[in-house]
Amino acid sequence: MSKPQQMVSIHTEYIQIDQLLKLEGLIETGGQIKSLIDDEIITLNGVLVTEKRKKCRPGDVIGIDGLEVDFIITKEEA
């Protein structure tokens, strides 16, 4: 069964995954992503994330084990 999806709108070409998680209130500082990466619980389009500044672009799907929602990146229209 797939998780519900939450849209995250950005107005730039990409957003770094640590900034995305801060924007969504999942971490307070960019440094907190290190433990999530070490725990191997973040995926980008189904692939394990190993870089704390991984670029996420419109159309990408971010999943985090233990959360009941996936995040979908969308491009904010000007």
Side-chain angles (χ1 to χ4, degrees):
M1 180 174 7
S2 64
K3 296 180 184 180
Q5 298 178 335
Q6 179 174 327
M7 301 299 175
V8 179
S9 185
I10 62 173
H11 60 274
T12 56
E13 179 183 345
Y14 64 86
I15 186 170
Q16 294 177 169
I17 198 157
D18 59 333
Q19 297 300 312
L20 171 79
L21 297 182
K22 282 174 38 178
L23 177 69
E24 290 301 306
L26 299 172
I27 60 175
E28 292 180 15
T29 67
Q32 291 176 318
I33 194 170
K34 185 176 181 334
S35 63
L36 299 177
I37 289 173
D38 289 346
D39 292 343
E40 299 183 338
I41 63 170
I42 304 173
T43 59
L44 175 65
N45 300 325
V47 177
L48 188 65
V49 172
T50 58
E51 304 167 49
K52 66 181 180 180
R53 289 191 169 86
K54 183 72 175 168
K55 294 177 181 175
C56 304
R57 293 180 164 79
D60 285 347
V61 179
I62 293 88
I64 301 176
D65 288 351
L67 283 187
E68 298 299 316
V69 65
D70 285 335
F71 297 96
I72 310 294
I73 309 299
T74 61
K75 180 75 170 166
E76 189 174 277
E77 296 302 320

